[in-house]
Amino acid sequence: MTVAALGFMPDRGSDTPIFEQICAAIRSRIRSGALAPEERLPATRALATDLGVARATVVTAYEQLMAEGYLRSRRGSGYTVCAMGEVELSPAEETYPAQDLTEHPPLSLEAGEPDMRLFPYRAWAKCVSRLCRTRPEEMLTGCGGFGHPELRQAIATHVRDWRGIPARPEQILVTSGATEALDICLHALARQGGTVAVEDPGFPPICNFAEAQGLRVRDLFVDAQGAEVPTVGDGTGVVVLTPSHQYPLGGAMSAGRRQSFIAWAAQAGGWIIEDDYDSEFRYAGHPIPAMAGVDAQGRTVYIGSFSKVFSNSLRMGYIVAPDGLVDVLGTAMSAKGARASSMPQAALAEFMHRGEFYRHLRRVRRVYAERHRNLVDRLRRDFSDVGHVQDHHAGMQVVLHLRDGLNDQKLAQSARAHGLGADALSAFCRGSAGLNGLILGASLNDLDEQEEALERLRRVISSTEKSPPQERIFRT
Ligand SMILES: Cc1ncc(COP(=O)(O)O)c(C=O)c1O
């Protein structure tokens, strides 16, 4: 077709960039049938001259339309129109109303869940579509045993820039989440019949994995500095820690305690598994570097997750193995048959490489910081007769430590019955009796929803029968 037949001139007074105007014009002509399937578009140079724009502007527009599935390019024959049946994406001028894409749980105080209404669906769709079109084989193959090479590279850069870990891509093993990574690490590092020490309270699946492997589990009491350090020679071979943001209490481990753990590992010949599941969400002060970045002995295995910063459903996490452990952990990974789906790996790598991931991360961090602040303020203002909170300026949840006479299990059950989905703190405890609180999600609701959820929680607490008084201590 000729340039004139396109029948379009850019509006230079418009706020819409010219390349987007070109995209919109071609898109609407394809959708109306004015441009037929297999029809050739004007050559980029000719269209650029005719429209009085730079050739790069036209190239950008054509590439965008290719990514969206409207055009294809064949060597020597320029750009041609795809049949509409091949178009995979909605037109770019359409917005993505969140309720069409995700079912947002109404007013849930569920902890640790990202608000998927903030997810950059369009940018992600473009990335996936571009890959399907240009490197489709990589969606199904090309990941090797340890993950897609580009994703391993992107993760190495990420942990270096955000967590202070000087990792090389060869040290990265991509898993289907931090949970699987924990299982692999225990499988690889714990000695048969040995002892694994876990934080109490802590993340319940760790004990399940350890016990399933016939390992003894030792509870590490958590105080204001973090978990207690095992004694050298007490049989503990592996400790699993959440030093950046203790799960579920929320505090950061003190620098002194970190050093004590590193010293313990060196002296006992033990291993530290650092579960850094949501460390990107720190809202005040400087980021706290990961232990794996300061452990010069190389006895700390680092685990990260994309469940909080990206999407829980993506099921993607990773291990940063110290140099000497890459093969050991890789073998354990294969022995367990563990492998993350290859489908999203190249797309995620590109998403990170293009900066979209970081745009999203900065945005959600800003939003969650505000929600976190509001939740802490509201709990302090309106729930001081119910219990107390400590603001750790981090993470996606806040613990409301209940005063004596209120039973967290009973309250959590009533809250669930009212659709609020709060968790009882005591359900995450093993030996440490006395912890009694509600774990409240700070990220899922916007500020108005949060207000409503808290009013509902207030009513639930008032109407729930008070338990007989019990001896309780507060630990934060
Ligand atoms: C402490 C801790 N570790 C690991 C995970 C699991 O992460 P993933 O979804 O990547 O398996 C969670 C999830 O909430 C968690 O709280």
Side-chain angles (χ1 to χ4, degrees):
M1 74 170 295
T2 62
V3 175
L6 197 56
F8 157 78
M9 280 309 282
D11 174 2
R12 290 175 193 283
S14 162
D15 287 339
T16 308
I18 288 178
F19 94 89
E20 278 184 19
Q21 294 184 38
I22 299 173
C23 286
I26 296 175
R27 230 185 258 121
S28 76
R29 280 159 184 73
I30 293 176
R31 295 173 78 216
S32 69
L35 284 173
E38 302 306 328
E39 197 163 342
R40 272 178 69 166
L41 262 82
T44 51
R45 198 181 303 279
L47 185 58
T49 309
D50 231 49
L51 299 180
V53 300
R55 183 168 169 236
T57 307
V58 177
V59 171
T60 308
Y62 280 7
E63 302 249 303
Q64 172 66 33
L65 291 167
M66 270 182 37
E68 292 175 14
Y70 284 92
L71 302 182
R72 74 161 68 86
S73 144
R74 289 219 183 88
R75 206 182 292 273
S77 60
Y79 294 86
T80 52
V81 175
C82 295
M84 275 307 278
E86 298 173 58
V87 175
E88 290 146 10
L89 294 179
S90 308
E93 62 262 44
E94 278 177 16
T95 55
Y96 281 69
Q99 59 271 33
D100 288 347
L101 290 158
T102 59
E103 214 174 285
H104 191 71
L107 295 185
S108 173
L109 286 167
E110 200 78 54
E113 288 293 326
D115 182 350
M116 291 307 289
R117 294 172 299 184
L118 302 171
F119 189 85
Y121 289 101
R122 246 186 56 198
W124 175 244
K126 277 184 198 167
C127 237
V128 173
S129 168
R130 194 180 302 116
L131 271 159
C132 284
R133 199 151 298 286
T134 55
R135 297 188 278 156
E137 67 290 347
E138 288 189 30
M139 308 294 276
L140 298 173
T141 59
C143 280
F146 297 164
H148 193 286
E150 287 170 19
L151 183 58
R152 295 172 80 195
Q153 172 70 62
I155 292 171
T157 306
H158 177 73
V159 297
R160 189 196 59 216
D161 294 350
W162 284 69
R163 309 299 302 126
I165 306 172
R168 287 171 291 101
E170 305 83 81
Q171 292 171 260
I172 311 294
L173 311 180
V174 178
T175 66
S176 69
T179 312
E180 185 182 69
L182 285 162
D183 193 17
I184 292 167
C185 289
L186 287 181
H187 186 80
L189 300 178
R191 265 177 253 115
Q192 201 64 40
T195 300
V196 173
V198 301
E199 295 174 331
D200 184 14
F203 186 50
I206 302 170
C207 299
N208 304 340
F209 294 148
E211 282 161 2
Q213 289 180 36
L215 303 169
R216 270 194 299 276
V217 177
R218 187 169 160 229
D219 304 329
L220 300 176
F221 186 85
V222 179
D223 63 23
Q225 308 286 312
E228 64 178 335
V229 186
T231 313
V232 175
D234 72 356
T236 304
V238 177
V239 295
V240 187
L241 303 173
T242 51
S244 304
H245 185 224
Q246 205 282 330
Y247 184 85
L249 295 174
M253 188 180 282
S254 69
R257 194 63 64 83
R258 285 163 192 249
Q259 282 307 331
S260 304
F261 268 107
I262 291 171
W264 164 83
Q267 286 166 28
W271 297 103
I272 299 166
I273 300 175
E274 178 176 20
D275 177 3
D276 212 29
Y277 63 106
D278 73 348
S279 60
E280 287 88 351
F281 297 125
R282 172 150 294 280
Y283 311 125
H286 292 295
I288 303 169
M291 275 175 83
V294 289
D295 174 10
Q297 314 288 327
R299 302 202 69 86
T300 304
V301 182
Y302 179 91
I303 289 176
S305 171
F306 287 102
S307 294
K308 313 293 179 192
V309 287
F310 198 69
S311 152
N312 207 348
S313 324
L314 186 74
R315 298 315 307 143
M316 195 83 77
Y318 51 91
I319 298 171
V320 183
D323 267 329
L325 281 187
V326 176
D327 289 341
V328 175
L329 289 168
T331 305
M333 194 164 156
S334 311
K336 289 196 92 51
R339 185 175 283 198
S341 164
S342 58
M343 277 293 274
Q345 292 195 32
L348 182 57
E350 182 159 332
F351 205 68
M352 293 173 83
H353 180 68
R354 286 177 174 261
E356 297 288 357
F357 176 78
Y358 294 99
R359 245 187 299 286
H360 173 58
L361 182 46
R362 279 191 283 272
R363 175 169 179 232
V364 285
R365 206 158 57 150
R366 231 179 10 253
V367 174
Y368 293 169
E370 192 185 20
R371 293 178 182 181
H372 196 273
R373 173 82 270 133
N374 188 61
L375 182 58
V376 169
D377 289 350
R378 284 281 277 110
L379 289 172
R380 282 185 173 160
R381 199 186 70 198
D382 301 333
F383 288 74
S384 56
D385 57 325
V386 172
H388 78 279
V389 297
Q390 187 165 354
D391 189 359
H392 295 292
H393 305 283
M396 301 163 87
Q397 71 226 25
V398 172
V399 177
L400 174 62
H401 295 267
L402 298 172
R403 65 163 168 75
D404 289 350
L406 289 171
N407 179 305
D408 63 357
Q409 306 262 356
K410 210 160 149 184
L411 280 184
Q413 205 175 16
S414 306
R416 282 197 177 274
H418 288 79
L420 286 173
D423 283 318
L425 177 58
S426 58
F428 295 78
C429 299
R430 288 164 52 85
S432 54
L435 286 187
N436 178 41
L438 289 177
I439 304 174
L440 304 174
S443 47
L444 204 48
N445 300 310
D446 67 23
L447 297 187
D448 289 342
E449 291 162 344
Q450 207 172 66
E451 295 291 319
E452 215 180 316
L454 289 175
E455 269 165 34
R456 206 185 280 182
L457 180 66
R458 186 79 245 188
R459 288 198 295 274
V460 167
I461 293 174
S462 306
S463 66
T464 305
E465 225 178 63
K466 289 181 181 167
S467 318
Q470 299 166 28
E471 186 75 359
R472 296 284 185 204
I473 57 162
F474 287 154
R475 276 182 16 208
T476 50

